[in-house]
RNA sequence: GCGGUCGUGGUGAAGUGGUUAACACACUGGUUUGUGGAUCCAGCAUUCGCGGGUUCGAUUCCCGUCGACCGCCCCA
């Protein structure tokens, strides 16, 4: 009979104990740092009504039109696994009336958790992936755009990353974009035949996408295209200038990429991406991105409220940390390993590990009745600092044998001392 | 959704249309009747992702499927 085998779903990952330390480190760093910036954690459902995403992310974005994990539940409601974090946060903002006068503005939150997109897995690309994101709702100030960018930069620097590039652009407001879109289409149309097949399709669907085509021929054409930055309305132009002035004032290096667009339709004015220059990670160079949005809160039935936020891809971040060799040191040592010899010692071995743990030290024992040699091997592999051995002899004398694993010295200690006076025993053991 | 490469034990891997699937690491036991990090010895894949086909015979050939990796689209 063939044994049934199961694989994790395509594009998902099991994070094993040797992997999760770095995730915890990233998350705790985010909590600490974002807290300093006044952001508090929000937790929203992993699935929402399908419409929450389709209304917010837009119907020209692939994320919504082709990549959503959607399903009808047993009550025949059309639901979807979240492909991104902003929509759920905005829905919660409106539903809980967080725009009310009793809440400070901007209302600042961060979140962390899995996102789902049905697409072909590849480098830095998964069907279930994880984001750490933030949203600040209710303030239109360019200073807030810059604070959010500054926080992202601060976060990456705190984690020890270097060689990151901050790219910014402005999509302008609705009027700016309408003006520009027309200018761009007017420019591209005469070149239509020379465009790549992809760009031909993009031209009437979402012409701004042509700007960041990777096709070499497209890039030649795009090089002569008008810039969105020349089509900003006075309001948008002023914000754009302010954002750059503030970034400069805060000594944040950035580059303007007038061809940058983002994958979700709700953005306007300031957008940004943070990417690595590392050539080895080109497939997943962008580790975070975000920008300003208007109209989302209204879309969900709330009052006119601007917002700004970003999302960071945690898998990509982990990759980068590994590539730049800035993974945190993890303490792999064990304080005590209790070697127990013979079934009679089972009880006292358990009492001993419990007593040691009660003092706040790590303790492990053997559960398999293995030979002393095998148990010492385990202790060695666990990088135990001390081994406590309890066998028939010790049992009769109500003692234990304490061995300092770095010096190899060992001596007898009374069990009662072990239970009541561990710190002194450790001191004695370290001198041995 | 499109295209390419690949799939042998816990791990890294070699290999062939034909009775025993190299080697290394790891692991387990012994060498030391109760003591680790060294040496030596022994053990460790009835099986080569899964299903089907060709064949006297397939891990090796063919098809399908699932999965991994990479590129495009898109994106974190």
């Amino acid at each position: 009979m063939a044994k049934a085998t199961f694989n994790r779903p395509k594009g998902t990952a099991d994070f094993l104990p040797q992997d999760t330390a770095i995730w915890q480190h990233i998350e705790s760093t985010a909590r600490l740092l974002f807290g300093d910036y006044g952001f508090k954690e929000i937790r929203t459902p992993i699935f929402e009504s399908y419409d929450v995403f389709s209304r917010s992310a837009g119907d020209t974005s692939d994320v919504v039109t082709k990549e959503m994990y959607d399903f009808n539940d047993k009550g025949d409601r059309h639901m979807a696994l979240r492909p991104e974090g902003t929509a759920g946060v905005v829905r919660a903002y409106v539903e809980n009336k967080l725009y009310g006068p009793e809440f400070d503005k901007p209302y600042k939150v961060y979140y962390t958790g899995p996102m789902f997109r049905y697409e072909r897995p590849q480098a830095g690309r998964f069907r279930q992936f994880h984001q750490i994101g933030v949203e600040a709702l209710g303030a239109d100030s360019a200073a807030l755009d810059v604070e959010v960018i500054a926080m992202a930069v601060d976060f990456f620097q705190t984690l020890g990353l270097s060689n990151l590039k901050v790219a910014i652009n402005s999509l302008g407001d609705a009027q700016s974009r309408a003006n520009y879109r027309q200018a761009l289409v007017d420019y591209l149309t005469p070149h239509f035949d020379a465009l790549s097949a992809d760009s031909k399709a993009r031209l009437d669907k979402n012409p701004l996408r042509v700007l960041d085509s990777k096709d070499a021929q497209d890039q030649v054409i795009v090089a002569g295209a008008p810039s969105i930055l020349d089509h900003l309305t006075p309001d948008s132009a002023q914000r754009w200038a302010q954002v750059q002035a503030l970034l400069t004032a805060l000594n944040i290096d950035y580059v303007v990429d007038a061809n940058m667009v983002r994958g979700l339709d709700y953005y306007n004015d300031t957008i940004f991406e943070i990417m690595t220059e590392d050539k080895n990670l080109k497939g997943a160079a962008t580790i975070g991105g975000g920008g300003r949005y208007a109209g989302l809160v209204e879309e969900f039935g709330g009052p006119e409220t601007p917002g700004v936020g970003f999302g960071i891809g945690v898998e990509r971040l982990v990759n980068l940390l590994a590539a730049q060799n800035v993974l945190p040191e993890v303490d792999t040592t064990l304080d005590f390993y209790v070697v127990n010899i013979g079934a009679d010692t089972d009880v006292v071995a358990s009492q001993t590990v419990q007593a040691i743990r009660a003092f706040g030290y790590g303790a492990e024992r053997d559960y398999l009745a293995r030979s002393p040699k095998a148990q010492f091997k385990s202790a060695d592999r666990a990088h135990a600092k001390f081994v406590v051995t309890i066998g028939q002899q010790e049992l009769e004398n109500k003692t234990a044998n304490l061995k300092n694993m770095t010096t190899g010295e060992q001596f007898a200690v009374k069990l009662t001392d072990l239970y009541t006076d561990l710190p002194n025993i450790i001191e004695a053991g370290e001198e041995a």
Side-chain angles (χ1 to χ4, degrees):
Chain A
M1 190 173 79
K3 222 197 301 186
T5 61
F6 296 95
N7 297 326
R8 72 183 79 92
K10 193 184 180 80
T12 63
D14 296 317
F15 298 106
L16 305 179
Q18 60 263 39
D19 308 317
T20 48
I22 178 64
W23 285 69
Q24 291 173 359
H25 176 245
I26 288 169
E27 283 164 14
S28 60
T29 302
R31 286 176 206 290
L32 219 59
L33 188 76
F34 295 174
D36 289 347
Y37 283 79
F39 286 75
K40 304 229 166 44
E41 185 177 8
I42 187 169
R43 302 192 187 193
T44 65
I46 265 170
F47 64 98
E48 299 269 0
S49 288
Y50 179 90
D51 292 344
V52 166
F53 304 114
S54 66
R55 299 189 107 198
S56 63
D59 42 35
T60 68
S61 80
D62 283 12
V63 167
V64 168
T65 56
K66 336 192 314 205
E67 297 176 359
M68 278 240 264
Y69 270 97
D70 65 322
F71 59 98
N72 288 316
D73 72 9
K74 291 182 194 298
D76 206 32
R77 303 174 190 87
H78 192 192
M79 313 302 290
L81 264 32
R82 41 139 93 142
E84 56 94 30
T86 302
V89 168
V90 172
R91 191 229 82 231
Y93 180 81
V94 173
E95 184 167 346
N96 295 287
K97 298 184 165 49
L98 302 176
Y99 47 74
E102 70 271 42
F103 298 106
D104 282 330
K105 289 173 187 54
Y107 193 84
K108 296 171 164 179
V109 293
Y110 70 86
Y111 56 83
T112 165
M115 307 292 164
F116 305 85
R117 293 181 195 172
Y118 190 89
E119 53 185 345
R120 195 77 172 265
Q122 56 188 271
R125 197 52 110 47
F126 307 92
R127 288 186 172 180
Q128 174 174 330
F129 64 102
H130 301 261
Q131 283 192 338
I132 294 176
V134 308
E135 311 293 343
L137 291 144
D140 202 33
S141 165
L144 189 59
D145 301 19
V146 171
E147 177 169 297
V148 163
I149 294 170
M151 185 168 80
V153 170
D154 195 352
F155 178 55
F156 293 130
Q157 283 175 349
T158 302
L159 287 170
L161 293 175
S162 50
N163 292 322
L164 292 178
K165 184 171 96 177
V166 178
I168 62 170
N169 190 21
S170 175
L171 258 26
D173 53 21
Q175 184 60 50
S176 309
R177 213 151 53 249
N179 295 345
Y180 176 62
R181 185 188 163 105
Q182 193 53 53
L184 182 63
V185 171
D186 289 347
Y187 169 80
L188 290 174
T189 302
H191 297 285
F192 186 81
D193 289 337
L195 288 172
S196 67
D198 283 328
S199 287
K200 282 179 172 130
R202 285 187 278 233
L203 186 57
D204 70 12
K205 212 178 154 195
N206 194 348
L208 300 223
R209 288 233 153 275
V210 177
L211 294 174
D212 66 355
S213 170
K214 284 177 190 132
D215 183 88
Q217 176 61 24
D218 285 354
Q219 287 178 350
V220 172
I221 297 169
V222 164
S227 167
I228 178 121
L229 297 175
D230 296 327
H231 290 76
L232 299 178
T233 58
D235 281 354
S236 284
Q238 196 199 344
R239 162 187 294 279
W240 175 235
Q242 247 178 313
V243 164
Q244 292 177 84
L246 282 160
L247 284 170
T248 302
L250 295 182
N251 293 314
I252 295 170
D253 289 329
Y254 65 91
V255 297
V256 173
D257 179 356
N259 290 334
M260 182 169 71
V261 290
R262 305 236 62 231
L264 303 165
D265 289 352
Y266 48 67
Y267 289 108
N268 58 47
D269 284 312
T270 314
I271 59 170
F272 62 94
E273 286 187 4
I274 296 176
M275 52 197 98
T276 172
E277 313 259 50
D278 192 330
K279 301 266 185 297
N280 297 325
L281 299 171
K282 63 183 162 65
T286 302
I287 55 179
R292 178 161 281 285
Y293 46 88
L296 263 187
V297 173
E298 287 161 280
E299 189 69 45
F300 285 103
E304 183 180 338
T305 308
V308 58
F310 66 69
I312 291 167
V314 183
E315 283 82 354
R316 290 183 180 184
L317 180 54
V318 169
N319 261 338
L320 234 198
L321 289 168
Q324 293 198 5
N325 215 352
V326 288
L327 298 174
E329 292 282 321
V330 283
D331 181 9
T332 56
T333 63
L334 173 68
D335 297 317
F336 288 90
Y337 190 96
V338 176
V339 169
N340 54 102
I341 307 160
D344 293 346
T345 61
D346 209 38
V347 169
V348 70
S350 281
Q351 288 172 328
T352 303
V353 287
Q354 284 300 86
I356 293 169
R357 291 165 183 159
F359 276 101
Y361 293 97
E364 190 52 277
R365 57 160 289 189
D366 176 81
Y367 303 96
L368 304 174
R370 294 145 76 220
S371 70
K373 179 190 171 80
Q375 295 190 42
F376 265 86
K377 269 195 163 177
S378 290
D380 195 48
R381 205 176 332 164
H383 301 116
K385 295 178 202 151
F386 294 102
V387 168
V388 175
T389 303
I390 300 168
Q392 207 55 47
Q393 288 250 294
E394 288 81 1
L395 208 54
E396 280 162 22
N397 303 336
K398 296 189 179 356
T399 61
N401 189 303
L402 184 73
K403 179 168 185 174
N404 179 327
M405 291 296 274
T406 45
T407 66
E409 298 296 322
Q410 53 185 330
F411 55 92
V413 297
K414 286 188 193 151
L415 275 178
T416 50
D417 289 348
L418 202 59
Y419 292 168
T420 60
D421 199 19
L422 190 61
N424 272 328
I425 288 184
I426 289 172
E427 212 172 300
E430 275 167 350
E431 285 162 11

